[in-house]
Amino acid sequence: MSTNGTVLDVQNLTCIPNRSGLRVVDDVSFSIQRGESVGLLGESGVGKTTLFRAILGLLPPDEWNINGEIAIDGIQVVGLPPKSLEKTRGRKVRSIFQEPAQSLNPSLKLDRQLIEAIQTISPELNEKECWEKASQALLNAGLPDPNIALNRYPADLSGGQRQRVGIAMSLCRQCSILLADEPSNSLDSLTVTELIETLKKLKADSYLGSVFCVTHDLSVLKALETDRVLFMHAGKLYESGDINQTLEDPGHEKLKELVDLAKKVNRHLAEGTEEEASKASEALIDVEKVDFGFRKKSLFQKKHSLVLHDINLTIYKGEFLALVGSSGSGKSTIGGLLSRIFSGFEGEISFDGIDLKRFKNRKEKARFYRSLQVVFQDPADTFDPSLTMRQNLMECFTAMGLDQQQIAQSLAELLELMRLEERTLDELPRNLSGGQKQRFALVRAFGAKPAAIIADEPFTHLDLIAQNRLIEYLKSRKQDSTNPLSCILISHEIGIVSKLCDRIVVIDDGRIVEQNTVDKIVNDPQHDVTNRLIDAAKTLGTFDSF
């Protein structure tokens, strides 16, 4: 590690939103030397993203009271005029944001966004040269085929692919420091390990001067081999030491709780799912010979590109089934078909006897939507931004037919379960962290009392404490003899789903390549994709304790 200068210096920083007066960031001071990799660890909602955005000058001055000093390469950025701030950021800082869908323009094609991002900081380059740099950045970000961004809109890609495009935008130019807010969100284990190796190589080659990684995932910091770990709790910052010291002697009581949970969660718990799903159980969802593709209109004809091929699945009542695979493999598309977000498929899909191609009557339609709830991959996209969280939840629960007493009881129970303060009910979605929005999405799904849930990457934005609580709650609902919950977990976290599910279905390139019980998938994988997912999970510590 080279220590020839301070690249980021934060002194006595306090950030208070005018709407609440809370000290979200409370007298924080730290510095990062040139060549250092520093991690910021903490639960969701403790102020990590606010600190991240304050460093970038992205907190609206009319909504926040900001005191303290922030210097990037010796340049004070607090109070800097917008044009000067943009110039400083563009040349010295690159950033990876937590929610890729919100950092990309939905109405602009991705190749155009990449080229414009490069031309903004390198106006001397022509479009061809910009695309060459963008292609290399996409490869560095883990997209094997950069052409996937050509003539495509953000909505055309999976969450993991959008995240990698956002990362590519940050890797298209050398910088003094890379700021990364939850960079592993929405990425499968294979891509995370590749991304971490890329970041380490780029840093070793001096393409990236320093790295500041904000995360709730200890395994990411361990794989990144961070020089120092900072811990944040209730707006305050605590120095912890390097990653090995953090794991051996956490120091702070709350950090010790996170480390202990990491060791507990990261153990191989395939024995927790010893029993196979009972084939004698009644089928809840049947999928037979389903093909599906998205139709696109061209000048002369309608193009039809298949993304799912010959999908055959049965999910039984009370069963937990995992759909795993790398991002872009088709997992979320299957979830979209089962929840009727997508239509126009070939084959047959039924839910508890209801044909999903056509409802017989309004009563059957109402039964379907009351019986099935969905937790979507990007929580920021699932709430009305003009309504408070309370209004968003009330709208859903009322539509599901719950009365005021039932709603109050469910909210009290689930807010406690998800560690959400009651005051957050009166916040707009944009004022919450990604983890808080994810937990509210889970509150909405469970509060509606469904018979089945489709959860698309439900653990992505959750810290270890929230993950552990969700796992325990799902286990209790699964074991409920009077009203057992059925669940389809769509995830790239094969280590986590192995603790919960009865069976695992592995998806690759729109096809089911393997399905079996958890024990057989984990201990005797038959397909190369399964082996690679498990190996990547082990590299990140998903199966093995630290």
Side-chain angles (χ1 to χ4, degrees), residues 104-148:
L104 297 171
N105 187 335
S107 63
L108 198 62
K109 290 181 179 179
L110 291 166
D111 52 339
R112 176 52 49 192
Q113 293 189 56
L114 286 161
I115 290 170
E116 285 188 1
I118 295 171
Q119 285 182 328
T120 300
I121 54 180
S122 301
E124 72 279 3
L125 299 180
N126 59 39
E127 286 202 5
K128 182 180 178 182
E129 292 170 325
C130 287
W131 178 246
E132 287 174 357
K133 287 181 71 72
S135 296
Q136 184 57 52
L138 288 166
L139 288 170
N140 288 337
L143 275 175
D145 180 14
N147 290 328
I148 196 172

Side-chain angles (χ1 to χ4, degrees), residues 21 58 97 103 129 149 195 204 241 254 256 304 364 368 482 540:
L58 296 178
F97 293 95
S103 62
E129 292 170 325
L195 173 63
K254 184 58 70 171
K256 185 177 185 301
H304 185 85
E364 192 174 70
F368 170 75
T482 58
L540 288 174

Side-chain angles (χ1 to χ4, degrees), residues 23-238:
R23 298 171 79 90
V24 179
V25 175
D26 190 1
D27 195 26
V28 163
S29 297
F30 70 99
S31 62
I32 297 176
Q33 302 302 308
R34 200 173 307 280
E36 266 195 311
S37 290
V38 177
L40 177 60
L41 186 68
E43 302 168 77
S44 63
V46 297
K48 303 190 304 297
T49 296
T50 300
L51 174 58
F52 176 89
R53 294 176 68 84
I55 293 170
L56 290 169
L58 296 178
L59 297 179
D62 58 334
E63 297 181 14
W64 288 82
N65 181 12
I66 302 170
N67 294 300
E69 297 180 351
I70 302 171
I72 297 173
D73 254 1
I75 300 173
Q76 289 290 335
V77 296
V78 175
L80 206 62
K83 286 189 177 180
S84 300
L85 178 62
E86 183 179 338
K87 186 177 179 180
T88 301
R89 283 193 310 227
R91 291 182 177 177
K92 298 181 180 297
V93 182
R94 307 304 294 162
S95 51
I96 299 172
F97 293 95
Q98 183 177 151
E99 294 169 336
Q102 292 193 324
S103 62
L104 297 171
N105 187 335
S107 63
L108 198 62
K109 290 181 179 179
L110 291 166
D111 52 339
R112 176 52 49 192
Q113 293 189 56
L114 286 161
I115 290 170
E116 285 188 1
I118 295 171
Q119 285 182 328
T120 300
I121 54 180
S122 301
E124 72 279 3
L125 299 180
N126 59 39
E127 286 202 5
K128 182 180 178 182
E129 292 170 325
C130 287
W131 178 246
E132 287 174 357
K133 287 181 71 72
S135 296
Q136 184 57 52
L138 288 166
L139 288 170
N140 288 337
L143 275 175
D145 180 14
N147 290 328
I148 196 172
L150 280 173
N151 294 314
R152 303 283 290 275
Y153 291 97
D156 295 330
L157 303 186
S158 71
Q161 289 169 327
R162 287 196 297 267
Q163 178 76 326
R164 282 179 277 178
V165 172
I167 291 170
M169 284 187 175
S170 302
L171 300 180
C172 61
R173 181 184 170 92
Q174 287 181 275
C175 62
S176 298
I177 184 169
L178 173 70
L179 305 179
D181 188 7
E182 302 287 2
S184 60
N185 273 5
S186 304
L187 300 183
D188 58 84
S189 300
L190 289 171
T191 305
V192 172
T193 53
E194 291 169 3
L195 173 63
I196 288 172
E197 289 306 311
T198 297
L199 292 179
K200 287 159 69 174
K201 182 179 183 299
L202 292 176
K203 183 170 169 291
D205 294 341
S206 299
Y207 189 87
L208 305 176
S210 303
V211 175
F212 182 49
C213 181
V214 178
T215 185
H216 60 256
D217 193 340
L218 267 167
S219 62
V220 169
L221 299 184
K222 189 171 188 290
L224 195 57
E225 298 175 358
T226 48
D227 301 302
R228 287 188 293 134
V229 176
L230 305 175
F231 176 65
M232 199 165 187
H233 179 64
K236 291 188 176 293
L237 200 66
Y238 304 87

Side-chain angles (χ1 to χ4, degrees), residues 255-316:
L255 179 55
K256 185 177 185 301
E257 183 181 356
L258 284 170
V259 171
D260 289 344
L261 273 174
K263 292 177 179 180
K264 174 184 176 182
V265 171
N266 288 341
R267 283 197 298 268
H268 182 349
L269 294 180
E271 64 270 17
T273 52
E274 293 171 350
E275 297 180 7
E276 294 189 18
S278 172
K279 296 297 186 289
S281 298
E282 186 180 350
L284 179 68
I285 299 174
D286 263 324
V287 181
E288 294 183 11
K289 299 181 179 179
V290 166
D291 294 333
F292 177 73
F294 293 104
R295 292 180 175 85
K296 290 188 176 182
K297 293 182 180 179
S298 66
L299 184 60
F300 301 107
Q301 61 181 351
K302 288 185 179 180
K303 295 181 179 179
H304 185 85
S305 176
L306 283 181
V307 294
L308 294 178
H309 309 264
D310 194 27
I311 302 298
N312 293 277
L313 278 175
T314 300
I315 297 98
Y316 298 93

Side-chain angles (χ1 to χ4, degrees), residues 439-466:
R439 285 180 279 168
F440 268 115
L442 291 163
V443 167
R444 179 176 56 190
F446 290 126
K449 308 292 185 185
I453 280 182
I454 297 174
D456 193 355
E457 304 288 5
F459 305 102
T460 298
H461 295 273
L462 301 183
D463 58 73
L464 287 170
I465 294 174

